[in-house]
Amino acid sequence: SERKLTHTHRVGSATVERWYQSFIKRRVSELSGRSCPQVLGIDEHFFTRKRGYATTLDDLKNHTVFDVGLGRSEASLRSYLKRLPGMGKVRVFVMDRSEPYCRFAQ
């Protein structure tokens, strides 16, 4: 927590906030340049009562989570995946037989 960092590193809370903001900016720039993996796994998971479901995209070749997006409907999935660079590189979809996923994969 911020309080713990201020005590252990003997810095102010504003410094901790700057560190955090710097980390987030760097992480976003690292993640924004990635393109979709060739082997993409898609599955939905219950997120919260308020937000509903989340769709998890996995890079199955490297065994890592590629991204997570809110929603599981075809419309939310389509608008989300359109923004991802390199969708044309995907050669294999691994998914359950969910109707929205099947329609999107076709």
Side-chain angles (χ1 to χ4, degrees), residues 7-21:
H7 283 86
T8 58
H9 294 290
R10 297 179 185 205
V11 295
S13 61
T15 301
V16 173
E17 181 65 25
R18 279 194 306 276
W19 289 348
Y20 177 73
Q21 292 298 327

Side-chain angles (χ1 to χ4, degrees), residues 21-71:
Q21 292 298 327
S22 172
F23 170 77
I24 294 297
K25 285 179 186 176
R26 188 174 58 245
R27 189 72 176 136
V28 165
S29 70
E30 288 172 2
L31 295 178
S32 64
R34 330 177 275 173
S35 64
C36 284
Q38 289 183 346
V39 182
L40 185 66
I42 302 175
D43 201 8
E44 79 273 353
H45 304 279
F46 186 72
F47 191 61
T48 65
R49 283 188 201 172
K50 190 174 186 180
R51 301 268 185 173
Y53 284 83
T55 298
T56 304
L57 306 172
D58 298 311
D59 179 353
L60 297 178
K61 194 173 186 179
N62 296 314
H63 307 285
T64 59
V65 174
F66 177 72
D67 211 349
V68 178
L70 287 177

